[in-house]
Amino acid sequence: MLRRLAVISALLLVAFAALPARSARRPRYGGTLRVEMGASVATIDPDATAATPEEAAAKMQIDALIFDHRDADGAFAGTVGSGPFQVTSWEAGKRAVLAANEEFREGRPFVDGIEIVMGRGAPERLVDLELSKTDLAEIPPQDARRAAEQGVRVSVSPPDELLALVFVGHNPLRTPEGTRSGNAAGAAGGRASGRPIARATEEVMGQTLSLAIDRVAIVNFILQKTGEPAGGLLPQWLSGTAFLFPAGAPTAAELERAKELSKEIAAAGPLVLGYDSADPLEQSVAERIVVNAKEAGMAVRAQALPDAGNSRSTALQTAHVDARLVRWRMTSPLPREAFKSIPLGDDTNTPARLDAVPFPDPATPEDIYKQQRAVLSRFNVVPLVWLPQVYGLSARVRDWKAPGPGENWPLADVWLDAETPTGVQ
Amino acid sequence: MRVALPTILAGLFFGITPQGSYAQTTSTLPKSWNDAAAKLVDEVSAAMSPTSVTLDVENISSLDVSSAGSIAASVRAQLQRHSFSLAPENSAAAQTAVRLQLSLSESAADYVWVMQILNDQRDGTAVPVMIVAAPKGNFADLGADVQSLSLEKRFVWKQAERFLDFALWKEETSTEFTLLVLGTNRLTTYKPGGSLWQLARTSPLPQATPPSRDPQGTINLKEGKISLQGFECVGDPDLAGVLQCKASTAARNLRGPLVDSPGYPISLGAIVSEKCRGELISLYTAESDWTESDSIRGYLTKGIALPRVASGNPIEFDGPVTSLKAEPGTSAARAVVHNLKTGEYEAYIVTATCGN
């Protein structure tokens, strides 16, 4: 009996040791991933230009799924269907159905297909996530907390999108095609008063706002703690030096200093702050800035820019704003490349100014810190908050990783499990 | 990517990890960290004459308390070397001393150490700032294992390209090791050459069509064969020589049938050959997925179907363990790790030791 037990035990041991053991982590093949997007993509023609930044971003996600490679300029190219998925059904602006490419050179994706529904608004996406009618959808950062409280599984990227106040008089966003201009505000219609802000006045206004704006309150109340106060032009996780740029709630001394500065610019009249009327976050932040500025004795008027996403330059020309809120998403995980791609405008990043501070390649953390300090010392850009990208996931989505700067949705690596617990990822 | 061979071999023979010199438990910092501390203090010295100073240290990085303390100690020593006198906290001298603020921060790529010379005006823009970068490393784990089982990982190899398994092999008649790295479509052999592994041979391997997104493969030195997604290969005269492969239906499912073993983690595991207190030793990864960091933990059980008990502390990895296989005849296992911080694939030998 003992011998038999010993033999059975030995056989079991050999069999068990030979196995790498069972594993729930091993991916499973099969299933259809349901994705919802806010934007509507009109065409998957790689040469077609998207009408809005939102459409361009959504198109890039779809392109990354159906094209195998990018050109030198970063645009996706090649034959449609050479990527991990092939398009089997396309309804422009509404719906796309993709099937796994069995011959994809990096291996067949785990899911059999993807069904993409376009043009779904944020509230609809959130409801569909709550009802498990979709597997993946973007969530506005200000809704992340509520979504998690509603039981939606939430995936949050490191903060990689900067919301900043930018004086448009010295920014190419104010003028068509980024035309360099000494003071584009005048050329573009000027202020509400008809007079462009003098450069010196603009600098004082920027400094006043930088001191007076309560970034912590924006993060805590408007963003429901999904985000970070921003004092620098690169996030702390990337640069390691963002903490050197003050971004806390204004101290009494800072508020006092802001009041002193606002007296110097009282004669300039109210500053008109534009925001994208289609962006509820920008609207809330703009209204908060009005309140903070008033506390410092500075007059700011928030003005919605209708359809700003569709024709930003045109809208700005007719809107007569002095400054506007800008959302900029990092395009590279490398600090130097990310910094260089910030669309702050030719006047802010004048060659003379940048030449004054050497920017070697590769750049050290100190080099990048000095560059940021040089740009921010002019106060025509006021960083406000860093936003993460937030995604809602169904319980069955596995191996999803929120893409970082410059990355696309990793849907070829995602697989669908039978059941998994919900929670914040 | 190559790793200094003598370091690996020394580690294999004497149980010293290649990162051993970075051990956080010692007061000696890695040279690169000492250099960074010295550079920081050099810059302070260039900015101000030697005087009485106080040093406040703030750690906002992922460095542990012990490491931060060691760095602060190094900076203090460097300051004294530059003839700065450190005023004791709360002393009268501290009231008049220049305040130095050392912030231990980190970026995506490096640790970033920042020294600020604080003045009375507390004007942020006027504070001189010195910044140095110090490399991040994969340092030895802290703390002695008071449990019966302790694990040690030894770094063997890393490369950007995915690989499925590896093996260190030494012929009985030779004193030299050979490193075999099993990629998704080839077996690469490295021989010792100077201080580094030198490429000796690359043998292409047949691939399943279309390729799998979850490829698996095993080097079986004991049987002298390689199993890879539906193929089985043998070497002539050995695996470092010419490979001959044939289709093998038996090898298609390298995972084998699923064995339901209640109490074990639902993850990768391997049972090693040796025992601890007469109990079987098994190693298991954590129950995370491939987007997260991972760990390996030791378990003891009196029998396969009997309850298992976690023993000792887990060892951590900067990414998922994608393969874990027992080393025949030892208490070790081979682990392949996808380091999410660097993007590289790394090979480790994980050894379980039965402690007091």
Side-chain angles (χ1 to χ4, degrees):
Chain A
M1 182 66 180
L2 284 173
R3 182 176 291 176
R4 184 179 294 173
L5 274 174
V7 169
I8 292 170
S9 180
L11 285 173
L12 272 172
L13 176 60
V14 168
F16 201 71
L19 308 176
R22 74 169 197 175
S23 168
R25 301 174 357 155
R26 287 285 186 202
R28 292 173 48 169
Y29 286 88
T32 299
L33 182 75
R34 302 159 302 170
V35 178
E36 291 188 0
M37 290 178 160
S40 293
V41 179
T43 173
I44 48 175
D45 178 354
D47 297 326
T49 307
T52 66
E54 291 74 24
E55 184 188 349
K59 183 172 183 295
M60 182 164 284
Q61 299 300 346
I62 295 176
D63 284 350
L65 298 173
I66 58 177
F67 291 105
D68 188 17
H69 65 276
R70 294 178 187 235
D71 280 340
D73 64 357
F76 287 97
T79 312
V80 172
S82 58
F85 293 91
Q86 296 169 329
V87 179
T88 56
S89 173
W90 176 261
E91 294 175 49
K94 293 181 180 174
R95 185 172 171 270
V97 180
L98 312 181
N101 179 359
E102 301 286 344
E103 305 299 324
F104 182 49
R105 63 178 175 80
E106 292 181 8
R108 180 200 191 276
F110 292 118
V111 296
D112 291 338
I114 303 175
E115 185 179 326
I116 301 172
V117 178
M118 295 175 266
R120 297 287 283 173
E124 296 167 306
R125 297 199 300 270
L126 204 50
V127 168
D128 287 348
L129 283 166
E130 288 170 14
L131 298 176
S132 292
K133 287 184 175 178
T134 188
D135 294 308
L136 170 66
E138 284 181 299
I139 297 175
Q142 64 270 27
D143 293 338
R145 186 167 175 168
R146 187 171 72 85
E149 287 171 353
Q150 294 294 322
V152 173
R153 184 175 160 217
V154 173
S155 166
V156 182
S157 76
D160 63 355
E161 185 175 2
L162 178 65
L163 176 62
L165 182 152
V166 178
F167 282 86
V168 295
H170 298 269
N171 191 284
L173 293 175
R174 178 66 183 265
T175 54
E177 286 80 52
T179 310
R180 188 182 295 186
S181 167
N183 191 331
R191 315 183 57 222
S193 64
R195 290 177 292 108
I197 300 176
R199 184 70 193 82
T201 305
E202 185 179 289
E203 189 167 329
V204 177
M205 285 180 162
Q207 190 175 2
T208 307
L209 289 171
S210 186
L211 288 165
I213 293 172
D214 189 345
R215 298 166 174 86
V216 175
I218 292 173
V219 170
N220 287 348
F221 300 113
I222 297 176
L223 284 165
Q224 294 288 298
K225 299 185 179 178
T226 305
E228 292 176 4
L233 295 168
L234 293 173
Q236 170 68 17
W237 68 267
L238 183 66
S239 67
T241 56
F243 73 96
L244 292 169
F245 299 95
T251 63
E254 286 169 338
L255 209 51
E256 202 54 44
R257 174 73 181 135
K259 287 176 181 173
E260 289 172 14
L261 289 170
S262 67
K263 289 174 188 167
E264 296 177 20
I265 51 174
L271 177 138
V272 182
L273 174 64
Y275 63 88
D276 185 347
S277 62
D279 188 335
L281 175 62
E282 283 195 19
Q283 180 178 351
S284 300
V285 171
E287 289 167 355
R288 180 86 202 184
I289 289 172
V290 171
V291 173
N292 286 157
K294 189 177 179 185
E295 288 166 354
M298 180 179 169
V300 174
R301 181 163 58 84
Q303 180 168 318
L305 302 176
D307 218 13
N310 280 328
S311 50
R312 178 167 290 171
S313 299
T314 308
L316 284 170
Q317 282 183 65
T318 56
H320 308 304
V321 298
D322 302 310
R324 69 155 296 164
L325 295 179
V326 172
R327 288 174 73 157
W328 166 73
R329 191 170 176 199
M330 283 164 42
T331 54
S332 170
L334 305 173
R336 188 177 190 278
E337 305 313 313
F339 179 81
K340 286 180 70 179
S341 69
I342 300 174
L344 296 175
D346 288 347
D347 195 61
T348 301
N349 286 332
T350 57
R353 171 156 288 279
L354 292 183
D355 286 348
V357 182
F359 202 5
D361 187 10
T364 66
E366 187 165 19
D367 296 329
I368 292 162
Y369 164 77
K370 286 178 177 173
Q371 288 289 327
Q372 292 183 75
R373 180 63 76 191
V375 171
L376 293 173
S377 65
R378 290 169 66 90
F379 293 105
N380 53 359
V381 177
V382 181
L384 300 172
V385 289
W386 280 104
L387 307 166
Q389 307 305 311
V390 183
Y391 304 88
L393 307 172
S394 72
R396 64 179 190 153
V397 173
R398 298 297 303 266
D399 271 0
W400 162 266
K401 186 183 176 192
E407 295 177 347
N408 296 107
W409 295 354
L411 300 190
D413 293 325
V414 162
W415 53 281
L416 299 172
D417 207 348
E419 265 188 44
T420 49
T422 59
V424 175
Q425 194 177 55
Chain B
M1 298 280 180
R2 290 170 179 172
V3 175
L5 181 58
T7 313
I8 295 166
L9 296 183
L12 291 171
F13 284 119
F14 305 113
I16 301 167
T17 68
Q19 297 83 8
S21 59
Y22 293 151
Q24 303 297 288
T25 48
T26 65
S27 58
T28 308
L29 289 179
K31 183 179 181 302
S32 55
W33 286 16
N34 257 329
D35 291 347
K39 188 179 175 211
L40 199 58
V41 176
D42 283 348
E43 292 188 22
V44 173
S45 182
M48 58 188 281
S49 303
T51 183
S52 178
V53 296
T54 62
L55 181 68
D56 297 325
V57 182
E58 179 190 28
N59 179 18
I60 55 172
S61 71
S62 59
L63 284 166
D64 57 34
V65 175
S66 167
S67 301
S70 298
I71 295 161
S74 175
V75 169
R76 285 194 176 92
Q78 296 281 354
L79 284 167
Q80 288 173 328
R81 212 163 288 152
H82 281 76
S83 303
F84 287 92
S85 65
L86 286 159
E89 276 184 56
N90 303 322
S91 67
Q95 302 298 319
T96 55
V98 174
R99 283 182 59 211
L100 300 180
Q101 170 79 46
L102 172 63
S103 300
L104 304 178
S105 178
E106 71 182 302
S107 68
D110 300 301
Y111 290 117
V112 178
W113 300 343
V114 179
M115 186 76 90
Q116 297 174 81
I117 305 172
L118 302 179
N119 57 17
D120 293 334
Q121 284 74 40
R122 298 174 62 91
D123 180 350
T125 58
V127 173
V129 175
M130 295 103 189
I131 303 171
V132 296
K136 289 183 179 177
N138 184 15
F139 304 112
D141 297 312
L142 281 172
D145 189 350
V146 295
Q147 309 276 340
S148 59
L149 206 58
S150 65
L151 302 184
E152 179 189 39
K153 63 181 179 186
R154 297 173 198 161
F155 176 63
V156 175
W157 178 254
K158 66 178 177 180
Q159 64 183 42
E161 194 177 337
R162 182 175 190 169
F163 62 97
L164 311 177
D165 197 7
F166 68 98
L168 277 166
W169 170 50
K170 185 163 73 77
E171 288 181 81
E172 288 182 7
T173 55
S174 171
T175 56
E176 284 193 341
F177 272 90
T178 298
L179 172 64
L180 302 175
V181 178
L182 177 60
T184 54
N185 59 2
R186 62 176 175 267
L187 179 74
T188 311
T189 307
Y190 296 92
K191 298 274 189 186
S195 61
L196 298 171
W197 291 107
Q198 297 292 334
L199 177 65
R201 186 184 186 90
T202 298
S203 304
L205 296 170
Q207 264 198 300
T209 305
S212 169
R213 188 167 281 275
D214 176 30
Q216 298 169 62
T218 303
I219 300 173
N220 188 332
L221 285 180
K222 197 172 178 181
E223 296 181 17
K225 69 179 183 184
I226 288 168
S227 304
L228 178 74
Q229 295 297 326
F231 293 94
E232 198 168 272
C233 306
V234 294
D236 181 15
D238 50 46
L239 287 177
V242 178
L243 292 180
Q244 293 177 332
C245 301
K246 61 179 182 181
S248 166
T249 50
R252 271 192 189 280
N253 188 353
L254 295 171
R255 277 174 257 170
L258 295 181
V259 177
D260 190 9
S261 304
Y264 279 93
I266 304 173
S267 61
L268 290 183
I271 296 182
V272 300
S273 301
E274 295 184 1
K275 291 186 175 181
C276 181
R277 295 182 186 173
E279 297 184 23
L280 298 173
I281 302 172
S282 54
L283 306 178
Y284 276 83
T285 63
E287 292 180 332
S288 50
D289 68 19
W290 286 356
T291 62
E292 301 168 81
S293 59
D294 205 346
S295 62
I296 292 178
R297 183 160 209 176
Y299 292 85
L300 294 176
T301 179
K302 290 184 168 65
I304 294 291
L306 297 176
R308 61 95 179 94
V309 177
S311 180
N313 295 322
I315 51 172
E316 306 292 333
F317 295 93
D318 286 334
V321 178
T322 57
S323 169
L324 184 66
K325 298 189 174 78
E327 276 278 89
T330 71
S331 64
R334 309 187 302 277
V336 178
V337 176
H338 184 200
N339 187 323
L340 296 176
K341 291 184 177 173
T342 64
E344 293 178 315
Y345 289 83
E346 300 172 341
Y348 291 89
I349 297 286
V350 177
T351 306
T353 306
C354 195
N356 294 326

